[in-house]
Amino acid sequence: MSAGSRRALVTGATGFVGSHLIDHLKDDKWEIGVLARPDASNLLTTNGAIAKVYVYTGATEDVVKSVAEFKPDIVFHLGSLFLATHHSSQVEALVSSNI
């Protein structure tokens, strides 16, 4: 990391808001790290704007490791589970995805 560079860790980078945030951060010369689910992480490794992709398997340790290793100045938590229509049995998963 060069003097004066800024680091951002982003969750939800493959979503609408997250992908636009990545573009903005890149244009503003931020170093970008991403924390993504395994199925999304493959999409992000080809994005030249992203310095590091961390895989989130659902374990708290994944989050702790990514923050400790990347040392971001800021974290943008945009990741969540989205279900346009859902049943009451899915509410726990919806809430857990944001914790």
Side-chain angles (χ1 to χ4, degrees):
M1 181 166 77
S2 63
S5 66
R6 300 166 292 172
R7 290 180 156 211
L9 184 65
V10 180
T11 70
T14 59
F16 179 80
V17 174
S19 63
H20 283 78
L21 175 62
I22 295 292
D23 290 341
H24 176 74
L25 292 171
K26 177 187 76 166
D27 291 345
D28 204 25
K29 309 290 190 255
W30 283 74
E31 187 171 354
I32 305 164
V34 171
L35 181 61
R37 295 181 314 272
D39 59 330
S41 63
N42 291 336
L43 299 170
L44 297 166
T45 56
T46 60
N47 185 333
I50 298 171
K52 179 72 177 174
V53 176
Y54 296 93
V55 178
Y56 175 67
T57 63
T60 302
E61 293 81 24
D62 297 335
V63 177
V64 172
K65 178 185 173 190
S66 65
V67 171
E69 186 179 303
F70 194 69
K71 296 178 178 47
D73 296 301
I74 190 166
V75 175
F76 294 95
H77 175 48
L78 305 172
S80 69
L81 175 63
F82 173 75
L83 301 172
T85 59
H86 58 273
H87 304 284
S88 59
S89 63
Q90 296 169 309
V91 169
E92 185 174 340
L94 288 164
V95 171
S96 293
S97 73
N98 284 298
I99 296 177

